[in-house]
Amino acid sequence: MKYIFIINPIAGNDDKKKIFSRIKSTFRLIDDEMIIEQTHCKGEAKDIASSYSEKYGKDCVIVSCGGDGTVHEIANGLAGSDTPMLILPLGTGNDFAKKIYGTKKINVENVIKAFGFYNGKIKYKVKPIDLIDYNGEKCINIMSFGLDVMVETIGRKIAGKIPFLGSQAYNLAIFPVLCRPLRYTINLDLDCIDENGQPYKITKSPIDFAMLAICNASYYGGGFCPAPDSKLDDGILDFAMCQPLKLHEAPSLIVNYSKGNVKEIKKAITSYLTGGKVWVSDGVKMLGECDGENFDYDVVDFKVEHNALNLCFLD
């Protein structure tokens, strides 16, 4: 088996050199092959993953060695293929990894040991998971709009300037965001599923909101949790929207949102989706966020893609 380690050299973890030196030593003792590819620009991880997938198919594993942005790119490169992705959480937020490894406090050394990369007894189980297709691109984690996008955007800038803060940068980003109006406007046309599996529609044109998240997984923005009970392989997306806020309401909402208590928020609307459309009608680009990366479409058409990606889980 070939293991293609795609490394983002500017991702958050400072111990990468020591980590990969130890992993290299292990691969010298086993028959499996370790191939290291470093990225140099945005989008390169997707191209590298796609290239190896086309060449080796299910006879290789693409190992994501970075943060949520690297995971996003590799997922886009492997979507619909037989090649699995394995995630070593070496970024700042590592929000998608929080879901698959079941903890908000990830220890990357423990993850590496559990997969057997330090002792040569490599083990994992491959399971297909869903993705979100939005305007032809794939989302593996969460797509969002509103206040949380502002927090994500500012938090990423703070983390870039002060790397040692790690995910705490996103908590600091809350304060400048709260100095702005907590009201945004959007149009919604959502294909929903009720608890009995029956389809229905939500159409609001326009609607004011504070935060809106369309979720395949659970965590984003350094650990906020709009969908604590999300399942990666059920063919359904979780939807959470908080109505406009007054400043004094924001602290309580943010605490509950962080802890995964969205259904306890009085101004929150939750549902389950299979697809839909969100757009703005004033001609202004709509700032959104997907897997920790910003976009500015005026219309977003999205749908769940069931079992679109093979992912390696701890065995």
Side-chain angles (χ1 to χ4, degrees):
M1 181 67 73
K2 298 180 185 295
Y3 293 87
I4 319 302
F5 289 75
I6 300 181
I7 302 172
N8 180 353
I10 63 172
N13 194 294
D14 293 328
D15 296 326
K16 286 193 288 291
K17 186 174 181 180
K18 181 179 71 175
I19 286 170
F20 287 107
S21 176
R22 188 171 175 183
I23 294 175
K24 285 178 185 177
S25 297
T26 299
F27 270 89
R28 294 190 187 103
L29 304 176
I30 61 178
D31 293 331
D32 294 315
E33 182 179 0
M34 178 185 191
I35 299 172
I36 293 179
E37 295 278 4
Q38 275 202 5
T39 60
H40 305 90
C41 60
K42 187 174 181 179
E44 191 173 8
K46 174 184 176 181
D47 295 337
I48 294 170
S50 178
S51 177
Y52 277 101
S53 177
E54 290 177 6
K55 188 173 183 179
Y56 297 111
K58 62 183 179 181
D59 293 324
C60 73
V61 174
I62 306 299
V63 185
S64 174
C65 306
D68 292 301
T70 306
V71 170
H72 171 83
E73 289 192 17
I74 293 174
N76 274 267
L78 298 181
S81 75
D82 293 329
T83 305
M85 172 170 66
L86 186 151
I87 297 173
L88 298 186
L90 291 165
T92 302
N94 301 311
D95 286 313
F96 184 72
K98 291 180 175 74
K99 177 68 176 180
I100 62 174
Y101 299 133
T103 177
K104 292 181 72 171
K105 296 182 178 180
I106 295 176
N107 183 310
V108 67
E109 292 280 348
N110 288 343
V111 172
I112 294 169
K113 290 176 184 176
F115 277 119
F117 286 125
Y118 280 164
N119 62 17
K121 298 178 181 178
I122 300 173
K123 58 180 181 178
Y124 52 85
K125 51 188 176 184
V126 178
K127 295 181 181 179
I129 67 166
D130 303 335
L131 295 174
I132 306 172
D133 179 283
Y134 67 107
N135 292 4
E137 191 169 356
K138 313 302 178 187
C139 171
I140 192 172
N141 190 28
I142 290 175
M143 179 168 60
S144 65
F145 305 88
L147 183 155
D148 35 8
V149 178
M150 302 302 176
V151 172
E152 175 81 26
T153 303
I154 295 173
R156 197 180 315 120
K157 290 180 180 178
I158 294 173
K161 293 180 179 179
I162 315 175
F164 70 84
L165 287 175
S167 61
Q168 291 300 315
Y170 298 94
N171 294 329
L172 291 176
I174 292 170
F175 296 101
V177 171
L178 293 181
C179 295
R180 306 175 182 182
L182 305 180
R183 178 183 295 268
Y184 310 91
T185 301
I186 204 167
N187 300 287
L188 303 175
D189 185 5
L190 306 178
D191 300 318
C192 305
I193 297 290
D194 67 18
E195 294 180 355
N196 298 315
Q198 297 301 309
Y200 68 99
K201 298 278 289 187
I202 292 179
T203 302
K204 302 287 185 180
S205 183
I207 186 171
D208 291 337
F209 72 105
M211 296 188 290
L212 187 161
I214 298 164
C215 312
N216 188 42
S218 294
Y219 301 99
Y220 74 135
F224 289 93
C225 185
D229 300 321
S230 66
K231 296 180 180 179
L232 294 172
D233 59 355
D234 60 356
I236 298 173
L237 307 175
D238 289 56
F239 172 77
M241 184 178 73
C242 296
Q243 297 172 358
L245 301 171
K246 295 178 180 178
L247 183 58
H248 73 273
E249 296 174 315
S252 174
L253 181 145
I254 289 169
V255 169
N256 280 309
Y257 204 73
S258 177
K259 292 182 177 180
N261 299 329
V262 177
K263 293 183 179 180
E264 297 180 15
I265 300 172
K266 292 181 180 179
K267 290 194 170 185
I269 299 169
T270 61
S271 185
Y272 301 104
L273 311 177
T274 57
K277 180 172 72 170
V278 296
W279 73 101
V280 290
S281 53
D282 56 7
V284 177
K285 293 292 185 181
M286 179 174 50
L287 180 61
E289 176 270 334
C290 173
D291 299 343
E293 301 294 321
N294 285 9
F295 59 79
D296 60 351
Y297 297 114
D298 53 358
V299 178
V300 174
D301 283 291
F302 69 94
K303 62 182 178 179
V304 63
E305 289 199 347
H306 189 43
N307 291 348
L309 176 72
N310 290 313
L311 187 66
C312 297
F313 290 83
L314 293 172
D315 193 358

